[in-house]
Amino acid sequence: MRAARLSVLTFTAVAALTAVTGCTEKGSSGDSDRVIDVTATDSKCEVSKKAFPAGHVELAIENKGSKVTEVYVLFPDDRIVTERENIGPGTKQKVTAEVKAGDYTIACKPGMKGDGIRQEVKATGGTVAKRDPRLDSAVAAYRKYAQAQADATLPLAKTFAAAVKSGDLEAAKKAYAPSRIGWERTEPVAESFGDIDPKVDVRADGLEGGQKWTGWHRLEKSLWQDKKITAEDKTLADQLITDLTDWQNRVGKADITPTSMANGAKELLDEVATGKVTGEEERYSHTDLVDFKANVEGAEKSYELLKPVAEENDAALVTELDKQFAALNTLLDKYRADKTSYDFTSYDKVGDADRKQLSDGVNALAEPLSKLAAAVVTKSS
Amino acid sequence: MTDAATDPAPSRRALIGWGGAGLALGAAAAGGAVAMTRTGDDIEPAAASAGAAVEFHGTHQAGIATPVQDRLHFAAFDVTTEDRAEFVQMLKDWTAAARRMTAGKAVGEGAYGGLAEAPPDDTGEALGLKPSRLTLTIGFGPSLFEKFDLADQRPDALVDLPRFAGDNLDKNRSGGDLCVQACADDPQVAVHAIRNLARIGFGKVVIRWSQLGFGKTSSTTPDAQTPRNLMGFKDGTRNIAGTETDRLKKFVWVDSAQDAKDAPWMNGGSYLVARRIRMHIETWDRTSLQEQEDVFGRDKGEGAPVGKAKERDKPFLPAMKPDAHVRLAHPDSNGGATILRRGYSFTDGTDGLGRLDAGLFFLAYQKDVREGFIRIQRHLATDALNEYIQHVGSAVFAVPPGVRDKDDWWGSTLFSKEA
């Protein structure tokens, strides 16, 4: 039984991998089969063919609309195969990609906003990697969620940065924790950009030799421990916005799979277990419970999206997870005035016994959550 | 004591066990006039099979009269679930895991070879190690009976321990709704067992406190080498032996016909007192040899009682100082009160003042705590040893009878509705 599952898994993993890298031989550039004409307008996205051979594909795009547009080739889970931005009205662009056999979406986004106008296309030939379409839509929805979190974070981070730059200590303190919520909710995705995480979310003890300390926690120390805002802090505030903008621009391209969503949910709880429950994360501001809540919310989002598939494979696990999420959320609610507020009790006011209770709640949730990936991949057969 | 006649196979714990002298601590008071009747033959099977598996099933739980292993990992848990069925299921899951681990097998589907995306069922650190005579023994604390409508099942003998003179108890090292005692010859095997049970228990129970132990300080097998405690004295000279069926019956195993009319589910069980006893190691080490020997009432080298030549000579109590530990703890000074000990030394690093945080993790089994530990410990109020020790943790548990067979589970007699 175990062995059978294993072989299915191996297949899925390999199929997913090849779809990502898409390393097929290059077709001849003069092969008209492999050229797709895309005509974009403000309300349409017409493609010259909806089926084409797998391999090297070229999109010949013409923007006949009045708005600047962008065109994407997307996997079924909305991950980007290739894209071209800033296609002005009346201009033509060419985009190429290597694609494996399978289903894809071509999307035009007039005004470079929203989900775009979409066309389903198919690359034919070779083996087709099939995944439960519900898992594809779960990944797509999670990708949207991650993007939305980044989009919502930027204005909050800018409010924080502005307060720092104006030298307003109290306003900066107030804006600090809210500016981190979106990041904390999507931390496993955010961390997949290995170059951004060390710039924005590193703690003093996480610095490597020679690394300059930047980001939220550096400013946290200035605000709460040093109790003053220096000229350098103001520069760091600008840097934080630059780095977060980089994250916002790239978050949609993160490599997300159903299993990475499931394990990402568990990793969020691990973050809580190792950093928040101990009070190490926000050692100066003691806003750990805000991060804690955001981590749990992020985990819950992943879980909710995967739940329909998980329920089929392991109904008992879903029952347990529902119960433990509810229990932990109820416990967290004890530390805020009302259920919509992110104004949580300062963690230095939370006693040892209460911290243990929180830790026990995290363990009670994280242990079954570690089984979610298995419940999801089993079905991807 | 296991009934050899009814057991499918004679287990090692059926062969040995040595009990004795009920003593809180220290170089063993003698178990009265009981003669040592065992022969060398009794020891050999255990010695020859060090590392082998101890039978998990039996009339009594393993880990009580079983020959004391070298290492201990003891954990006390609190129950967090309010769902009786869920808790009972956990006890069944624990039993299944304990059955496998004591046989030297991995939990569930093992530590490797499963789904790559999921954490393995077993944590894996005991892979390749022998069963190491692992025993797992479960106990239920008084506080458990306040849950799941169990109040009327609480045995009279499971009393809350009174406060004893000199107690300095840390609530974070005391109490617990249930406990698991893991004993093994390999510390990794004992730690692995507790870790996996804790993992299975997440969401239902949480670890309240735990203790690692090494260097058994009491033996249930009276071999030539009586172990020494951290004070350097031989400990457990006359503990109850596993072969002493009569004394086990008299002092350790609950017989529902006589002892537990209020709680027939305890038939074949016992009661456990666990005490974390800190030793003031540094001051002890600065104490003269004469005083050390006076405190215990035995000599340090041989372990012979005052005025006698050999360790196993019958102590003549009046020859000892009135506050000598052995004299006060001896059954003859306590109306015959006798307990079975399987304590371990512990060292948990240093205490922040540069002192060794070390001592004795005392474990005593008896059929009635009131007649056993409480009676003796009260009598030890004037013990000269108290200057050098302090009780800092405390717990008491009802240890149910053994898991009878592969369909039985820990606590089945208590949770009889589900049995």
Side-chain angles (χ1 to χ4, degrees), chain A residues 2 9 323 356 367 370 374, chain B residues 86 109 114 117 119 199 207:
Chain A
R2 218 349 104 91
L9 229 198
K323 186 179 121 187
K356 177 166 191 296
E367 185 63 29
S370 72
Chain B
E86 186 176 61
E109 292 190 46
E117 279 77 3
R199 188 177 171 204
I207 287 202

Side-chain angles (χ1 to χ4, degrees), chain B residues 63-411:
Chain B
I64 302 172
T66 308
V68 180
Q69 303 89 327
D70 292 335
R71 304 290 184 138
L72 169 80
H73 190 186
F74 186 93
F77 296 82
D78 280 334
V79 176
T80 51
T81 183
E82 291 172 4
D83 183 335
R84 177 180 170 121
E86 186 176 61
F87 181 65
V88 166
Q89 185 57 49
M90 189 208 73
L91 290 175
K92 291 177 179 174
D93 293 344
W94 268 14
T95 308
R99 188 179 280 127
R100 288 187 62 84
M101 290 191 289
T102 52
K105 296 175 186 167
V107 173
E109 292 190 46
Y112 60 91
L115 282 171
E117 279 77 3
D121 288 346
D122 186 277
T123 54
E125 74 273 29
L127 283 176
L129 300 179
K130 292 177 179 172
S132 305
R133 296 194 298 144
L134 172 70
T135 55
L136 293 166
T137 315
I138 197 170
F140 301 136
S143 50
L144 181 71
F145 295 86
E146 293 161 17
K147 302 177 179 180
F148 307 125
D149 291 326
L150 291 171
D152 60 347
Q153 297 291 318
R154 177 173 169 174
D156 290 344
L158 184 67
V159 292
D160 294 306
L161 295 181
R163 190 187 177 282
F164 297 102
D167 276 5
N168 182 20
L169 303 181
D170 176 354
K171 67 177 170 52
N172 292 321
R173 293 188 188 275
S174 299
D177 291 338
L178 58 159
C179 73
V180 179
Q181 169 197 283
C183 297
D185 290 327
D186 184 329
Q188 183 119 337
V189 170
V191 168
H192 169 263
I194 294 295
R195 174 175 166 192
N196 279 273
L197 294 180
R199 188 177 171 204
I200 291 167
F202 279 135
K204 280 80 79 177
V205 295
V206 299
I207 287 202
R208 182 180 172 89
W209 56 273
S210 71
Q211 183 67 56
L212 289 172
F214 64 92
K216 60 185 178 189
T217 61
S218 307
S219 175
T220 50
T221 49
D223 50 25
Q225 290 296 317
T226 300
R228 290 176 187 269
N229 61 28
L230 289 182
M231 289 175 153
F233 277 74
K234 289 184 180 178
D235 203 350
T237 298
R238 292 264 182 123
N239 207 359
I240 301 175
T243 45
E244 291 182 285
T245 315
D246 53 341
R247 289 219 298 159
L248 286 166
K249 190 169 157 51
K250 186 172 179 189
F251 296 114
V252 179
W253 303 130
V254 173
D255 177 349
S256 64
Q258 299 165 18
D259 314 314
K261 293 190 179 68
D262 61 315
W265 66 271
M266 273 296 287
N267 189 29
S270 188
Y271 294 92
L272 167 64
V273 171
R275 305 278 285 186
R276 188 176 191 268
I277 305 172
R278 175 83 188 267
M279 291 174 178
H280 302 311
I281 296 283
E282 291 77 10
T283 53
W284 175 257
D285 292 345
R286 288 192 283 267
T287 303
S288 71
L289 176 62
Q290 185 63 56
E291 180 172 348
Q292 290 187 4
E293 293 185 338
D294 285 349
V295 163
F296 274 101
R298 285 178 178 265
D299 76 44
K300 199 165 187 177
E302 166 63 24
V306 174
K308 298 295 176 85
K310 290 293 176 191
E311 181 194 348
R312 299 185 197 284
D313 288 347
K314 181 172 162 44
F316 179 62
L317 300 180
M320 299 175 185
K321 296 216 164 177
D323 59 357
H325 179 67
V326 168
R327 179 169 177 170
L328 291 171
H330 196 278
D332 290 356
S333 306
N334 292 283
T338 302
I339 51 181
L340 184 156
R341 286 166 302 134
R342 30 190 312 131
Y344 287 84
S345 294
F346 71 84
T347 305
D348 292 343
T350 44
D351 67 355
L353 296 172
R355 306 180 302 184
L356 205 57
D357 182 0
L360 174 69
F361 190 68
F362 170 90
L363 295 167
Y365 287 90
Q366 59 255 287
K367 68 161 61 181
D368 191 322
V369 173
R370 295 163 296 190
E371 297 302 315
F373 177 76
I374 291 176
R375 181 163 188 171
I376 297 167
Q377 188 61 24
R378 281 208 164 118
H379 198 233
L380 291 175
T382 57
D383 189 352
L385 192 57
N386 291 342
E387 190 180 337
Y388 301 100
I389 61 171
Q390 190 166 49
H391 288 233
V392 295
S394 177
V396 59
F397 301 95
V399 176
V403 174
R404 292 183 306 274
D405 53 41
K406 66 179 176 51
D407 298 320
D408 194 15
W409 42 278
W410 271 336

